[in-house]
Amino acid sequence: MSESYSASYAAAGVDITAGYKAVELMKAHVARTQTSGMTGSIGGFGGLFELDTTGMAHPCLVSGTDGVGTKIRIAQLLDKHDTIGIDCVAMCVNDVICCGAKPLFFLDYIACGRNVPEKIASIVSGVAEGCVQAGAALVGGETAEHPGVMAEDDYDLAGFTVGVVDREKMIDNSRTRVGDVILALNSNGLHSNGFSLVRKVLDVEHADLNQWSEELGGTLGGDLLQPTKIYVKPVLAAIEAAEVHGISHITGGGFYENIPRCLPQGLTAKIEKSALWIAPIFRMIQRVGNIPERDMFNTFNMGTGMVLVVAKGDADKAVAALNSEGQGARIIGEIAAGEEKVVLC
């Protein structure tokens, strides 16, 4: 028995020894995320990172935080918890890359009804995999039991990342201009947005998530739980190879909310719908739910996880750089003068 064991606390529903076991189980996963700036070890009071600003005139730290929303319910229904952490990392690092910042480190927070060490370690294994994909160090985190507040099998997951960019190289909407080309980076499905609508439309609580679907080319559960793509390395490659004027992460709010973030006043993103690749899951949701097209593009990524606005003469170089990192990309439109921020035609 651990010296810190408290029978009284355990009787109240919190087993602190389970927390210690979870930390031990997750250490091997955390070790995979080791980068040159990572110092210290998991389990301390603070996550340490040594910042190297060599070659930067005016380094700026960029932070982002997010969770995975009700997609967690899909993981619970399938009792599969080793990918949801990738989503958590992706939702944070895909945001900070929009201004050109390279993610440095990540921390997670898991709230649960009961700490099952193996389950917590499985969740963290996904977080570690996301960090590896993003090139970020997992420098710490927190697991909290909430007995009486959350059901025993319930949990929620959130995260936080910090990146760095030289201020002179920061990407905002100030350079976007008429004639720029709009590139779509293919998503691999729903990512982590709109799941409250998805769960209602597809009645996931009563659906057979493991049944094969010809329409999807796989199981419904597998499609819904597909982890969010992490675009960090492909986007950094595109920034290095081409003149990138704007970047938008297509998350909640879809095209209509997110694309305007990289557009100054007086400019419009004209997008050719015929150029878009729309994954089968979106067609299914629209058909089953009888959802208007505008609502679909105002809720989901519709097969485009990120948009890059690049100088017209650099479009081919940007696509080549993205492809070299295994990221599918296509030209879907251009920037034009106008007050309506997004026009699908």
Side-chain angles (χ1 to χ4, degrees):
M1 180 180 296
S2 169
E3 292 183 2
S4 63
Y5 176 77
S6 169
S8 299
Y9 210 4
V14 177
D15 183 358
I16 56 178
T17 60
Y20 300 143
K21 182 178 179 182
V23 170
E24 287 302 313
L25 290 174
M26 67 179 69
K27 282 184 176 180
H29 302 302
V30 175
R32 295 182 58 220
T33 75
Q34 182 82 38
T35 67
S36 59
M38 189 174 175
T39 60
S41 59
I42 195 79
F45 285 98
L48 304 178
F49 191 89
E50 184 176 353
L51 181 61
D52 181 3
T53 60
T54 303
M56 295 187 185
H58 298 95
C60 292
L61 296 179
V62 182
S63 60
T65 185
D66 209 339
V68 296
T70 62
K71 185 173 183 175
I72 278 183
R73 183 58 182 157
I74 310 300
Q76 293 170 337
L77 289 170
L78 291 170
D79 194 25
K80 187 178 188 304
H81 311 283
D82 61 346
T83 63
I84 202 74
I86 300 175
D87 291 282
C88 189
V89 175
M91 296 305 288
C92 297
V93 298
N94 285 347
D95 277 354
V96 302
I97 193 63
C98 287
C99 65
K102 181 185 184 301
L104 298 172
F105 59 83
F106 188 86
L107 294 93
D108 61 58
Y109 178 85
I110 304 169
C112 58
R114 182 169 66 93
N115 188 332
V116 180
E118 293 77 12
K119 184 176 179 179
I120 298 300
S122 181
I123 296 169
V124 173
S125 74
V127 175
E129 172 59 27
C131 287
V132 169
Q133 291 182 23
L138 180 55
V139 298
E142 176 70 13
T143 302
E145 281 187 286
H146 292 170
V149 176
M150 302 176 74
E152 278 199 359
D153 291 336
D154 282 352
Y155 67 90
D156 199 7
L157 172 65
F160 173 85
T161 193
V162 171
V164 66
V165 62
D166 196 334
R167 188 171 65 194
E168 282 70 20
K169 297 180 179 179
M170 188 177 295
I171 295 172
D172 54 26
N173 64 14
S174 63
R175 291 182 290 169
T176 303
R177 56 182 179 263
V178 172
D180 282 352
V181 171
I182 304 171
L183 301 181
L185 278 59
N186 297 344
S187 74
N188 56 3
L190 289 160
H191 287 182
S192 298
N193 300 107
F195 271 84
S196 292
L197 178 58
V198 171
R199 290 185 302 109
K200 178 183 178 182
V201 167
L202 300 183
D203 192 19
V204 299
E205 296 293 331
H206 304 100
D208 183 355
L209 297 179
N210 291 309
Q211 183 176 5
W212 180 268
S213 166
E214 291 295 334
E215 183 176 357
L216 298 176
T219 66
L220 176 59
D223 212 306
L224 297 182
L225 201 57
Q226 181 74 15
T228 306
K229 262 192 178 183
I230 291 177
Y231 296 99
V232 171
K233 293 178 181 178
V235 170
L236 287 174
I239 292 172
E240 186 69 24
E243 188 178 328
V244 178
H245 292 165
I247 307 174
S248 285
H249 182 200
I250 311 302
T251 57
F255 280 43
Y256 289 105
E257 181 177 326
N258 293 293
I259 293 178
R261 297 185 183 190
C262 66
L263 300 177
Q265 289 297 320
L267 294 186
T268 296
K270 293 184 65 176
I271 295 172
E272 297 288 339
K273 285 191 291 185
S274 61
L276 297 171
W277 174 79
I278 299 178
I281 187 64
F282 300 109
R283 304 289 192 191
M284 174 184 281
I285 294 165
Q286 184 173 11
R287 173 177 53 78
V288 175
N290 193 27
I291 299 173
E293 182 181 74
R294 194 186 194 287
D295 287 358
M296 291 294 295
F297 278 94
N298 206 172
T299 306
F300 303 110
N301 69 64
M302 299 301 286
T304 297
M306 189 158 288
V307 161
L308 267 59
V309 177
V310 303
K312 187 173 184 177
D314 279 7
D316 290 342
K317 288 189 288 186
V319 170
L322 292 164
N323 290 343
S324 72
E325 292 290 334
Q327 175 58 56
R330 65 190 69 213
I331 296 173
I332 61 169
E334 65 177 7
I335 303 300
E339 294 303 320
E340 191 173 359
K341 286 297 184 182
V342 178
V343 176
L344 295 176
C345 50

